[in-house]
Amino acid sequence: MSRSMTTETSEAKELALVGKVELRIALTDSDAKLESMLNIYLAPLLLKLASDHASVRNKVIAVCQHINTRIKPPSIKLPVAALVKQYKDCHNSIVRHFDILYIQHGIDRLPVQERLDLLPTLIHGLAENFEESPTHTASLFNVILKLLHHLVLPLRGSTEDTDLRLRLGLAERVLDAEFVASWLGKVILFTTSASGTKSCPGLSAEECDFLKLYGKNDIWTLGGPGNSSSGMNLTETKVISAKFLSSGAFTEVERFLPALYASADSNSRLSDIGEDILKRATPVVSLEDHSLLAKLFKVYLGTRGATGSLPARRSLQTKILALFCRSRESTSFVPEILQIVKEALEPQSQSSDHVGFQHSGTPPKQGLDLAKLRAQVFAFTNWVARMGSGVSLSALAPTLVADLRIYIEAQGWPRVNNENPGLSMGELSSRSYCYESIGLLAKACPSDLLVEPNLDLLRWLFSSLSADTSGTDISISIEQALSSVLSPFANDTDEDVENALTDLLLHNMSQRIGETGADGNIAVRSTRYVAVRFANRCLPFHSVKARLLDVLAQTDGPRERGEVLEEGRRGLNPYWYRNLNPLRNPPSIRNDASEISRYRLPNFVDLIQEFFVGQGTSINVRQQLGFGYSPAITFCRGVLLHQALSSEDKSPVIDADWKKNIDAMITNDETSRMEIKNHLENMCTAASGYHYLSRFLYAALEGFTDSSLGDSDSSGTCLLEICSLSPGRVIDEIASQVSGLRDAIFANRHSSRTIASHIFGILASRGENISPSVESLLHQFSKKIEKWSNSVGSEVHEVHGSVLSMAYLISRRKYLNNNYNFEGVDELGFIRLILTILSTGRDKELLDAATLAVGQLCLFGTLTSDTIPAPYDVLSLVDKLKARAEDGDDNSVLTLGHLAMQCGEDDEGSEVGTSALSRIIDSLYNLHEKRQPELQFAVGAALSCAAAGWQSKSLVGLQDVDSGAIPRCALRSKTLDMILEKVLSDCNTTKPALRQGSVIWLLCIVQYCGHLAQVQSRLRQCQTAFKGFLADRESLNQETASRGLTLVYEKGDRDLKDDLIRDLVGSFTSTNVGMAGNVSSETQLFEPGALPMGDGSVTTYKDIMSLASEVGDSSLVYRFMSLASNNAIWSSRAAFGRFGLSNILSDSSVDGYLAHNPKLYPALFRYRFDPNTNVRSAMNDIWSALVKDPQSTINEYFDSILEDLLKNILGKEWRVRQASCAAIADLVQGRPIDKYEKHLSRIWTLTFKVCDDIKDSVRQAAMALARVLTAVLTRSLEAGDSSSNTAGVMLKEVLPFLLSPSGLESGAQEVQAFSLKTLLQIIKSSNAKILRPFIPDLVGRLLALLSSLEPQEINYLHLNADKYGMTAQQIDDVRLSSVRSSPMMEAIERCLDMLDDSSMISLQSSLEQALRTTIGLPSRVGVSRVLVSLSTRHNFVFKPYADNFLKVLRKQVLDRNDTISTSFAAASGYVARLASNEEVLRLFDYCKKLYFDSGEDDRHRVVSAELVSAIAKYATDRFASLANDILPFVFIAKHDPNERTKELFNNTWNENVGGSRAVLLYLREIVAMASPRLDSPRWSIKHTAAFTIADAVNAMGAEISTLNAEVIWPSLEKALSGKTWDGKESILEAFITFAKNSDLLVSNKLIADRMQSIVLRESKRNNVQYRQHALTCLGDFVEICKGVEWYDLVHDITNPLIIELLDDGNKMDVDSQTGGPSSKITSERTLANALRTLLKSIDPDLREAPRLAASLTQTFELIRKALFRNDKIVKDAILDGEMALFKKLTKTGFHDSLDTILNKYASTLFEMDDQAEQSRTKAAEAATTLARWAPEKSQVHTRLTGSVKLALTQERSSSVRQKLQACCKALDEQNGP
């Protein structure tokens, strides 16, 4: 019971309290008292709603209802602050509900500042409030949005802006800041729709309800019904929200998402703000934040379900995808990515941005927005493929590829669907992207998509390439996709996959255009190139099928595309294959590249099986391989020989000259030939090996004999080569086909005959007996040879082949079987016959055949000095061969050497030189006079043969058959010694020809006979001889000597090598006389100009000595002598081919030395870039031989090399400076900046110094280095944040140089141009963070450069424009256009894009300086464009400076150049957008001052017009807001006499007013401004003011109010005062309009009198042109003034004038000097107007009949005289006046006293001669009017009746006849009934 009583007591107390409050509120009798009570009790009263007692709560609600009725007056303020605080503190939902109601009700009644003071309180705890009650929070957020409309944000970057976050309390309440920023972003996304949809793009239904206050749709409708306060404008709210977000209240991370939403909005006001925020926020926000990415994916895709959010708008989706493409983490959202791609590919409706997706067979045409979105989706897909993790890609790639394939196939695959014949550009682009994405995705996930036994995707891509008909662009994308999937197959693959790939490639290689493939698709393009690329990159080199593909690529020969042929050739070269397929992880130490399985050469047997056995019959093989047959033979030959040489660990070097290396080994190296023979012998021991070798020889023979297979000679050469090395039994088998050589022996091509004859000799010489086929051929050869003397044309070719065949056969056969005689062949007769040909023949081809035949017979001992048949002997033969040799025939020289092998030495005591051998040797010596290097090398080889016989290494490759013994040769004992002594002696001669020959012969003897003791014992002498040629003037002698020194060093033992080194080095370093031919280091070795190197001549050997000296190893001198081997003559001779520098430098002592003496590398590295080609090539060879791993070597000695280069870059010798520049450029490329960062400043400093070198080539090298450094810098800048420190370091070093006198201000144009180009690249590549500190200076410099870099020809053309038929303005227009498209302006715009508040401060000074100092048009126009850009695209950072720049621009618009002035005026218009009202008004005042104080100079008035026009055009809003201040001035100025000024002001007026009567709005201002100018001493201003008043009068309309009339009348009166001037008539006409439309003429007697005096005064003016208009106005004024007698006044004015004009009628007509009417026309018009006015002045109402008659009579006399002039103008004027007069008479009625005079008027109506139709019409109308006045029987009536009837009979015009008939009718009406 106690508790019950307590409860009742509590409830009663609460009710009592509420009752008291209610009573107090009820007793208030005024709004002020009520407001005071509510301030005290409203919040506590509402708090009682939290009571536990329902009665209390109901009582409070009742009181609230009473309050609601009392607070309807808007003057009553509510305690909103207390209610807000109570809302935040109380958590009761009912209390909060009522708090919100009264907050919403009272917030708009508070003063703005009080409302804004509530903002922090409203924001605090908002996030927590949302969790408790979203409904209530929505109302609070809505209140916050309303307050934002009144919030004045501080300037960004100011102290107030920085403190705003603190002032709002958001710094401590991060959750609230995030909540507000998030919902402001949702406001930006929010859209209202009349369709009733619950959600919108990017927002769920719940979020939309929140923003609509859960059903209150009218909150976004202004003045919505039922809403106590006006709704908000959604667009403006979005803009205000974005501006609030850009303030300092939020961090970059908080405003990032809202800024992103805003940047994609279609409203430019919103998107500009969003872009500006985004530009600053993006670098700060981590795009790897998973939660952020999740939000973006959610906005992009939306959330499914009835209340879910719709996907974002496409523009926003595109923006989001662009961010995803910068985030690696975004690739982990697998389901979302799949959905994005799927939705982008599915058909989309064009009617809506977001619809459901329904798949159909044919997608509709896509719009631009969808095309952009799809392009970005594909870019994101590519990003995912490149950056995604393996796990993500495994989940993504298969599905994505399947979707992409479905999309392509839906469009029609491989052919486009018939119902969709033409894909749009967007669809084609999407198709292209699909193919490319498929390739990238497949590459990223090969295990699931590509590398599988069926190769489904790869087959699909090949089919697409072959049969897709979408166009060339699509095929390029397919090829790109196929290129992308190359690398996965390049790895080791499963055997099944490799086999399937091989089959697929073979199919595509064989498929031709137009054929139907296995998949049923018709090929429209070839896939051969892609197939062979796959073969070369995806299949190992040992794959025989891959090599078959390379062969098949060459099948069509010249008909095939070049790239297919080239790719096929590369695939058959192991060197190029290795270059195409570099090792991914090469072993650190590798002895031989063949150890790598992938690079292993295919097996020879497998090749033969695949190429020539497995393809069927030989005919089928030839048909299938076509032009690829010879390459196949050549490749098999190379593989066979390589494998043979590799068996003994002498594998040929696999480099670019792989084939040449093999050729050199088998031609010159006896050991290598023996290895090959052994290999082939071992191969033939196995049946299969024997079979495949013989099959290869058969194939080579077929390839040689079938000329349709392309290069048959290469097949023949391979056959010849292998036959010469193959075992006898293989040769015996192939010999059965020797008859097939007949056509080749008789062929027209010389090379074919020579090869065929040689092969014939080898094959036919085998066996015990000669086959019948060979015998048959021999008989044919014999018969043809017998007829040699009568042979012509092709018969000569047959004789040539026959001679060679017989010679090769007889020589080999006799060697193999010395006792064998040919049946039916006269061997001796054959020898006699060829000697006869040699003696008497004249045909060169036959002489060549005979010479070669003699050489072959002598070589194998068949023809000796003793076996020469009579009548010939050996001496005569020598003489014949000598004669041919002297003609330069190499074969004759070699034949002499071969003949010498069969001649014995001189006997003891015999006379020297009498023997055949002596004769031959002397003949060879005498050939030194032939200055042909090739001939001298042949002499050297011949001498080696004569001296050593078969011991000469020059004959190693000529023994093509082997009987186990050396062929017959004469014995030698002293010949070699004799020849050596002779040659060494001749080396010291002074005769140039003999010196050259001797050094070459000595080189050949050392090369070919160096292994013999005679030569070994004389190596020291040879060294001395060679050294003596190092100072020779002939470069060939120098090179020969250097090569010889290398050979001498190579042939000697260690002791000899050391001795040779000491001798050589001593000869260069000692001042004492040493060995013969010593030279000093200063000796000139080359003729001036022989090695052109600019201004100096430096020897190759001095460089070598310098390098050796630097290193400290004298032995290197010998090793480096081989640098002369670069001469083409060496590479052309196989004898020297295998002796490369690498063999010398591979010596272990060199390697050991370099290991302890690394200082060689810096010097050698620099010499590799020497300007001299020989030095450079030699040093590169040395470097390649010394440095096995260049990368690691350079890295190890990087600092040493760079230090050496920097030391030498300023050296004394220009060659060293140039080489150092090139070397540094090569050194720094591709290396991290960390390695040379400490040297960077020094590098740039020295580079710029050398850029101004005196030597042109050095300057060019320095510029090249500078370009390399620039490229390094730009790559660092493009790397972004990852290299920001590096790039910043480089920029700090580089930019000061570029902007210094050494760069942009350099006097050298090359340096200046480079500096500019570098600057542009830096600006283009840099990000804002790095470049921003330099922007102010950069912009200023670039603006100045716009003028300084303008071609001087432009200035000349500008000054002499008239000479070229142009105007200066036309040239300026071109210059202006060039500035707009200038790359420097692009760079400046790029700099402006990176501005922030801090850099803008410095930029202000830079721009002001540019405005003051720049003088050229391009620069000044550039400054104006910068200001325009700042005002439009960077308004946030520029706005605080707009006032200052608008002030500065006032002076700039007065530039003398019109183009510059106009540009600055336009810039002023843009800047005015951001300037304050005060500054814009000051600019308007300046415009007025310019205009009114300009004097007679039109220029200032034009400038004023351009300024005002620019503001009206580019700052429309500002102009409209200040219209009252400027439009009156515009109205005045639009009447300027200058046409340009008038046009600009007139356009401005028309575009900113709503009609002519808008003048009334500004009438007082216009009059107040114009009236004082009527007294201006400047005529132009005075006239403008007068025209203004006149136009204002005309614009007032038909009724001018008294008030307005009184305002304008004084000015109008003043405008008409003074003398006449051109155009004053328009003022007078306005005066008449004023008199007519205003009531002042009637209501104000004083003004009426002034008007009358004015019109009379003006009518009396004597100005001829003005007078005619004044008379018209007088007549009009007479008509206006009713009740005033005007005739006498008018007559007094017009009578003397009319008489004067009539008297002057015969005066000569004179043209007007101003282009107006001539004097005659002016007179006619004046006369007409005078007569018209005079007639108008007759008023019958005011004159009694006698006086009226007198007036009419006076007037008629003047009319009669005027009619005699017969002027149409005068006639029409008289008729008009008479018409007006007759109308007045009709009103007064008939009077007898007037009948007579009016009869005279009537008589003139139809008596005027030659009247025009218009005049006749007027006469008829006047007659009709007069007829109504004249009664029947009056004189007028009678006159008119007769005249009209007569006129009717003569009139043809129907319209005139109608008028005449009307007149008749009027006359009839006057007749009685």
Side-chain angles (χ1 to χ4, degrees), residues 141-142 145 149 183-193 200 203 208 211-212 217-222 231-242 265 267 269-270 313:
F141 185 72
N142 183 261
L145 290 179
H149 283 265
W183 277 99
L184 288 177
K186 292 174 183 178
V187 169
I188 294 171
L189 286 176
F190 180 66
T191 57
T192 56
S193 174
C200 61
L203 297 180
C208 290
L211 295 174
K212 291 187 290 187
N217 294 321
D218 55 351
I219 68 164
W220 298 109
T221 304
L222 292 174
M232 290 182 289
N233 183 298
L234 180 58
T235 302
E236 287 301 320
T237 303
K238 289 183 178 183
V239 173
I240 290 169
S241 299
D265 198 273
N267 186 343
R269 294 173 60 202
L270 187 57
R313 295 184 301 275

Side-chain angles (χ1 to χ4, degrees), residues 1417-1443:
L1417 180 142
S1419 296
R1420 294 183 66 75
V1421 170
V1423 175
S1424 71
R1425 289 188 60 80
V1426 168
L1427 294 175
V1428 171
S1429 181
L1430 288 171
S1431 302
T1432 54
R1433 300 174 58 234
H1434 314 284
N1435 47 16
F1436 288 99
V1437 296
F1438 184 63
K1439 187 171 183 178
Y1441 310 93
D1443 282 3

Side-chain angles (χ1 to χ4, degrees), residues 744-746 749-762 778 781 785 796-812 830 834 837 845-857 891:
I745 293 172
F746 293 158
R749 193 162 64 245
H750 181 278
S751 58
S752 296
R753 295 196 303 273
T754 303
I755 295 171
S757 300
H758 200 161
I759 296 172
F760 174 80
I762 294 174
L778 290 176
F781 296 158
I785 295 172
V796 174
H797 300 158
E798 294 175 355
V799 174
H800 177 271
S802 300
V803 169
L804 292 181
S805 298
M806 293 282 286
Y808 280 116
L809 174 61
I810 292 172
S811 61
R812 272 72 178 166
F830 170 72
I834 61 175
I837 295 173
E845 198 162 324
L846 295 181
L847 289 173
D848 289 343
T851 301
L852 185 57
V854 170
Q856 291 298 314
L857 292 172
N891 284 330

Side-chain angles (χ1 to χ4, degrees), residues 66 192 212 215 315 425 707 729 756 865 893 935 981 1020 1308 1476 1513 1577 1594 1713 1741 1755 1761 1770:
H66 170 73
T192 56
K212 291 187 290 187
S315 58
M425 290 300 295
S707 60
R729 58 182 182 276
S865 58
V893 175
L935 184 67
E981 291 294 339
R1020 180 70 59 82
S1476 64
K1513 186 175 181 180
N1594 293 329
Q1713 295 181 356
D1741 293 333
T1755 304
K1761 293 178 182 179
V1770 176

Side-chain angles (χ1 to χ4, degrees), residues 247-485:
S247 69
F250 301 95
T251 64
E252 303 291 2
V253 176
E254 291 167 352
R255 57 182 162 224
F256 173 71
L257 285 179
L260 176 64
Y261 305 153
S263 67
D265 198 273
S266 58
N267 186 343
S268 61
R269 294 173 60 202
L270 187 57
S271 61
D272 288 347
I273 300 172
E275 289 286 0
D276 185 72
I277 302 174
L278 205 60
K279 207 162 44 175
R280 290 162 174 75
T282 303
V284 178
V285 175
S286 172
L287 294 177
E288 305 301 328
D289 184 350
H290 190 87
S291 60
L292 173 64
L293 294 172
K295 294 177 183 177
L296 290 173
F297 274 109
K298 180 181 177 182
V299 171
Y300 183 101
L301 295 169
T303 53
R304 296 298 181 255
T307 60
S309 63
L310 294 175
R313 295 184 301 275
R314 285 176 184 154
S315 58
L316 179 55
Q317 288 180 328
T318 305
K319 288 267 186 182
I320 293 173
L321 286 173
L323 293 176
F324 287 161
C325 289
R326 299 166 60 183
S327 167
R328 184 185 293 270
E329 180 65 21
S330 66
T331 62
S332 63
F333 290 76
V334 176
E336 290 83 355
I337 295 172
L338 290 175
Q339 187 176 348
I340 286 174
V341 176
K342 182 178 180 181
E343 292 182 356
L345 294 178
E346 287 183 348
Q348 308 266 333
S349 170
Q350 298 301 302
S351 61
S352 174
D353 203 34
H354 298 287
V355 294
F357 304 112
Q358 296 180 350
H359 186 70
S360 63
T362 303
K365 302 295 182 183
Q366 63 184 49
L368 179 60
D369 56 344
L370 181 56
K372 289 181 179 179
L373 176 61
R374 279 183 173 162
Q376 195 61 52
V377 168
F378 289 121
F380 180 48
T381 306
N382 295 350
W383 171 265
V384 171
R386 288 187 293 110
M387 309 304 293
S389 65
V391 176
S392 298
L393 290 172
S394 297
L396 278 169
T399 305
L400 289 180
V401 169
D403 290 342
L404 294 171
R405 285 182 64 174
I406 290 172
Y407 177 79
I408 293 174
E409 290 169 359
Q411 290 182 330
W413 181 91
R415 295 179 177 273
V416 177
N417 291 335
N418 292 332
E419 63 271 16
N420 190 19
L423 297 177
S424 66
M425 290 300 295
E427 290 165 332
L428 286 174
S429 177
S430 297
R431 189 179 183 93
S432 175
Y433 281 130
C434 282
Y435 279 121
E436 294 172 11
S437 299
I438 287 174
L440 289 171
L441 289 168
K443 176 184 177 181
C445 190
S447 58
D448 296 329
L449 293 168
L450 279 175
V451 187
E452 44 90 17
N454 292 328
L455 300 179
D456 176 67
L457 181 59
L458 187 63
R459 293 179 191 277
W460 185 81
L461 287 173
F462 267 104
S463 297
S464 299
L465 179 62
S466 171
D468 194 298
T469 60
S470 304
T472 304
D473 292 340
I474 302 300
S475 68
I476 293 174
S477 295
I478 301 173
E479 287 189 6
Q480 184 174 339
L482 285 165
S483 298
S484 299
V485 301

Side-chain angles (χ1 to χ4, degrees), residues 1811-1823:
Q1811 290 190 88
E1813 181 176 341
Q1814 182 182 5
S1815 300
R1816 299 199 305 274
T1817 302
K1818 289 183 177 182
E1821 291 175 347

